[in-house]
Amino acid sequence: MFILRQDNLDPLMPQVLAEFGRGSPTGVLRYRQRRLPPRFHHGVFVLDWTFGRIFFVGDDSRSELIASPGGVGGFAVTDIESFPDGRLVVFGVEEQG
């Protein structure tokens, strides 16, 4: 069965936190630690495999691009984890361009 999302107001669909445009989301993490600066506490990190981008959505629902690859080769981000001490680790594959 294939279902298209009608709009943001559809009560059967989860709330949309942010729109990032074209891409392939591969990892999402709600940060519940205190090691990073306060603006990151309780926010959501979203990875984009297609363009190697890392976005952050804060509690105020504002989103920002916090990392993207530079140069010819890319970095396909695949997963994100938070350790008990608050360290944030991003996993991925280096793409040769």
Side-chain angles (χ1 to χ4, degrees):
M1 177 187 234
F2 184 76
I3 300 173
L4 292 175
R5 186 179 83 185
Q6 298 298 317
D7 61 31
N8 244 357
L9 302 176
D10 185 342
L12 300 177
M13 297 301 295
Q15 177 184 356
V16 175
L17 293 178
E19 297 280 349
F20 302 120
R22 193 172 147 246
S24 301
T26 55
V28 176
L29 174 81
R30 173 93 172 170
Y31 188 74
R32 294 187 172 135
Q33 308 294 341
R34 300 257 180 232
R35 185 171 184 152
L36 296 179
R39 71 185 185 103
F40 293 113
H41 298 178
H42 305 291
V44 177
F45 290 89
V46 180
L47 308 182
D48 170 24
W49 180 84
T50 301
F51 299 106
R53 302 176 297 183
I54 302 173
F55 294 96
F56 177 76
V57 181
D59 279 344
D60 59 2
S61 295
R62 285 192 296 174
S63 63
E64 63 180 298
L65 176 66
I66 59 170
S68 65
V72 177
F75 183 67
V77 290
T78 58
D79 196 11
I80 186 168
E81 292 292 333
S82 175
F83 287 94
D85 67 358
R87 288 179 295 151
L88 193 64
V89 178
V90 176
F91 300 90
V93 178
E94 182 180 3
E95 297 178 332
Q96 300 298 318

